[in-house]
Amino acid sequence: MVNQGKSQTGQKGGSNAERAMEALKRLTPKLLIDGKFVDAKDGMTFEDLDPRTGEKLVDVAEAQAEDVERAVQAARKAFDEGPWPRMTGEQRGRVLLRLADLVEEHADELALLETLDNGKTYSQCMSIDVPGTAQHIRYFAGWCDKIEGSTIPVATEGFTAYTLREPIGVAGQIIPWNFPILMAGWKIAPALAAGCTIVLKVSQYTPLSALRLGELALEAGVPPGVFNVLTGKGAECGDAITTHPGVDKVAFTGSTNIGKKIMEGAASRIKPVSLELGGNSPVVICDDCDLDAAVKGAHEALFFNMGQACECGARLFVQEGIYDEFVARSLELAKARKVGDPFDEDTAQGPLVSQKQLDKVMDYVESGRKEGAKLGCGGQRVGEAGFYMEPTVFYDVKDDMAIARDEIFGPVQIILKFKTIDEVIARANDTNYGLAAAVWTQGLDRMQALTRGIKAGTVWVNTHHILDAAVPFGGYKESGIGREHGSAALEHYTQTKSVYVPLPASKTQRSWVTM
Ligand code: NAI
Ligand code: MG
């Protein structure tokens, strides 16, 4: 059973759960448009639920197409007439540095809201989600005054040419529920650095932390209308953003199915899209690995964030010589993983985000049983209230079972056996996804063969989940289009203008260079 309401005392008095409710009371759960919190059209709201209990936390404004219109107009005006794209890069950088500082100063409050809304542990929010958001914003603050064009020597006599890199305009950004504030940070930081303005739609399951981030952005000096936040559902609000003629570019993180819809919606106006979609990432454990590190690494690769991570280590391929021991030790770890109130410091696994997600994951558990995979542990819901489930491990899984083919997105580890490196590369690649992979080996040849052979946007060696702001991240195949992080992310938010300029007519008056 899960101990409800017994969360530990935080550093500022009151239990963490009580302090989270205080933070919620201070928040305005409305749409952030043009620097103000406003109601949705006709005062429409939806219920935001507490994943620990399944009960209502708060009514949140539900953006309609008319609200998207208002937000796009505000972002349009801020881009076409406002100061943000016209500031120097250095000035924009200072504002983003202030925002990064404010996120750190409010880390506790943001972490409390995030745990309350999503069910992920407060300790994870404090150590990863919130600091990662600040770090991402700070990294892109550094880019603001380094976005450069180039001077190009041309064949046409008497001319020179150069390029300007201009902000693309209004960015429509749609994010999921699994890392609400971190995904908001990943999306807004490069867009703001480039001088774009933003309409961000957060998931209806986790609307809270981005509203507070929007407020902090205003405090940092981001002008009103530059960063608008809409809380609403996908079909209405998300689709209205994707197809709106005033939105110049769409960025999306979420499921591959909705990614396909986003592409269709954006096609009508030839809008560039960047998509970070689902994954079914292989983890390959070779028989020459450091076994202790690999068992723990593979466990965290899957169970981190309740398995609700696009880059999680979903298909665990273990070489036959160490297979039995690896399975036994993986089961021990999974059985010991503590499920409980995410505000408790010793909890490793909180509830899943929603009843819908719990049902989906439990359906996969059922399907694994029916298809004959061996259930090593777990497989049950925990308690009657909230969306908790047991850490679950299936082994002796076959490649064609649904639990191996699909993205489960929950705390269910899938273990498969392999013999040779060539075989495992082929099997790892036998998927429509290609987001990430991890390989565990001490051998240089194997490491090279696997990292080069597996088709994925990111490959980790003897580790997992490291996603640095400076390193490109994104998917091969149906896992997405484009890369986030690093200079790659700026490509999505800038476009190149080529300028041809005549040189002085007399060759003697030209400089001695040919450019
Ligand atoms: P989803 O893809 O439906 O939702 C992601 C975002 O897209 C949300 O903000 C949602 O409101 C919005 N959206 C939904 N329909 C839309 C539309 N027609 N136009 C524009 N925006 C729309 O993900 P969902 O339903 O929350 O989760 C379902 C599955 O998706 C999960 O079980 C998981 O397998 C996968 N997923 C993958 C994520 C990733 O990071 N790759 C993140 C979240 C979910
Ligand atoms: Mg919620």
Side-chain angles (χ1 to χ4, degrees):
M1 280 299 291
V2 178
N3 285 330
Q4 296 290 357
K6 286 197 186 162
S7 63
Q8 288 167 358
T9 300
Q11 69 268 40
K12 290 174 193 157
S15 72
N16 286 334
E18 284 162 2
R19 296 189 310 111
M21 292 310 287
E22 290 300 316
L24 178 60
K25 275 188 211 148
R26 292 194 298 273
L27 188 86
T28 313
K30 296 187 179 185
L31 315 176
L32 182 56
I33 299 179
D34 210 8
K36 293 183 206 71
F37 283 107
V38 295
D39 287 316
K41 179 179 177 275
D42 300 333
M44 291 273 284
T45 58
F46 65 91
E47 292 189 345
D48 182 24
L49 306 184
D50 183 341
R52 297 173 307 151
T53 60
E55 282 162 21
K56 181 171 91 174
L57 277 174
V58 65
D59 290 308
V60 178
E62 183 176 341
Q64 308 297 303
E66 286 86 343
D67 303 308
V68 172
E69 185 62 43
R70 277 196 290 165
V72 173
Q73 275 177 21
R76 202 62 272 162
K77 193 156 186 281
F79 185 77
D80 293 337
E81 299 163 30
W84 189 250
R86 293 165 186 81
M87 284 179 188
T88 65
E90 196 258 3
Q91 288 167 333
R92 272 201 307 278
R94 280 174 186 263
V95 175
L96 290 188
L97 287 175
R98 271 202 296 278
L99 178 56
D101 288 346
L102 283 171
V103 168
E104 279 172 354
E105 281 164 32
H106 292 80
D108 179 57
E109 178 193 1
L110 292 165
L112 291 169
L113 287 171
E114 197 79 325
T115 296
L116 196 60
D117 208 4
N118 172 281
K120 63 175 69 200
T121 63
Y122 170 73
S123 56
Q124 181 193 313
C125 292
M126 286 299 280
S127 59
I128 296 171
D129 298 47
V130 178
T133 306
Q135 195 233 335
H136 212 82
I137 295 169
R138 190 168 288 125
Y139 170 81
F140 280 100
W143 267 111
C144 291
D145 56 2
K146 298 169 193 72
I147 301 172
E148 299 173 347
S150 57
T151 310
I152 304 166
V154 294
T156 315
E157 175 115 24
F159 282 85
T160 187
Y162 61 88
T163 57
L164 296 170
R165 279 180 77 192
E166 300 183 336
I168 198 159
V170 174
Q173 303 184 319
I174 299 170
I175 56 171
W177 44 259
N178 55 340
F179 289 89
I181 193 162
L182 191 64
M183 288 303 112
W186 284 17
K187 288 284 176 289
I188 67 163
L192 291 175
C196 293
T197 63
I198 294 167
V199 176
L200 174 78
K201 190 198 94 65
V202 295
S203 167
Q204 60 271 37
Y205 297 107
T206 52
L208 304 179
S209 55
L211 290 172
R212 189 69 183 108
L213 183 67
E215 218 174 9
L216 293 176
L218 289 166
E219 196 180 324
V222 175
V226 170
F227 173 22
N228 305 279
V229 184
L230 296 181
T231 50
K233 298 191 177 157
E236 299 84 10
C237 175
D239 190 56
I241 293 172
T242 309
T243 54
H244 197 292
V247 171
D248 299 304
K249 181 250 160 6
V250 183
F252 172 78
T253 296
S255 63
T256 293
N257 281 343
I258 300 297
K260 291 177 184 176
K261 285 195 186 159
I262 301 271
M263 275 189 94
E264 282 171 28
S268 62
R269 300 209 177 241
I270 319 286
K271 280 182 207 178
V273 291
S274 44
L275 305 171
E276 201 265 274
L277 306 176
N280 194 9
S281 302
V283 174
V284 178
I285 311 281
C286 299
D287 55 13
D288 66 346
C289 70
D290 171 343
L291 199 60
D292 283 344
V295 171
K296 284 188 202 120
H299 176 82
E300 279 307 319
L302 186 281
F303 289 103
F304 169 66
N305 209 51
M306 286 76 77
Q308 301 170 140
C310 52
E311 83 292 355
C312 76
R315 287 179 296 150
L316 178 54
F317 291 97
V318 182
Q319 202 157 13
E320 57 182 357
I322 55 168
Y323 181 83
D324 291 340
E325 186 180 356
F326 201 95
V327 168
R329 290 175 67 172
S330 298
L331 288 174
E332 263 172 46
L333 276 188
K335 284 179 193 162
R337 193 169 180 86
K338 188 165 180 293
V339 179
D341 188 313
F343 286 112
D344 286 351
E345 266 155 46
D346 59 349
T347 292
Q349 182 175 305
L352 305 197
V353 71
S354 64
Q355 184 68 50
K356 182 181 153 198
Q357 195 61 21
L358 178 63
D359 290 345
K360 180 188 158 185
V361 178
M362 292 302 285
D363 284 350
Y364 275 113
V365 171
E366 195 46 41
S367 129
R369 277 200 181 107
K370 280 201 184 128
E371 288 195 288
K374 293 204 178 106
L375 180 64
C377 68
Q380 299 293 327
R381 187 176 173 178
V382 179
E384 291 91 52
F387 314 132
Y388 294 91
M389 74 170 281
E390 292 173 341
T392 299
V393 179
F394 279 109
Y395 63 101
D396 289 359
V397 177
K398 301 285 171 263
D399 294 12
D400 58 357
M401 293 178 181
I403 52 170
R405 298 215 71 80
D406 298 350
E407 180 181 50
I408 300 177
F409 225 65
V412 183
Q413 190 172 43
I414 302 299
I415 311 185
L416 310 102
K417 192 192 287 187
F418 78 93
K419 281 192 180 130
T420 69
I421 299 297
D422 287 344
E423 169 211 330
V424 79
I425 290 174
R427 288 170 65 193
N429 286 336
D430 184 18
T431 167
N432 291 338
Y433 293 112
L435 190 61
V439 303
W440 292 78
T441 172
Q442 316 239 39
L444 201 53
D445 285 354
R446 287 172 165 197
M447 187 274 280
Q448 288 287 7
L450 287 162
T451 52
R452 285 158 194 266
I454 295 174
K455 297 187 175 108
T458 296
V459 186
W460 291 286
V461 178
N462 296 338
T463 187
H464 208 106
H465 288 307
I466 300 177
L467 293 172
D468 196 284
V471 181
F473 176 65
Y476 282 27
K477 300 194 254 180
E478 291 186 22
S479 287
I481 296 180
R483 295 291 177 269
E484 301 192 275
H485 301 206
S487 60
L490 294 166
E491 300 290 331
H492 302 304
Y493 296 100
T494 55
Q495 51 195 343
T496 299
K497 178 182 282 175
S498 298
V499 183
Y500 287 90
V501 185
L503 293 167
S506 152
K507 279 191 183 170
T508 55
Q509 283 179 9
R510 288 182 204 162
S511 114
W512 54 271
V513 293
T514 54
M515 302 207 303

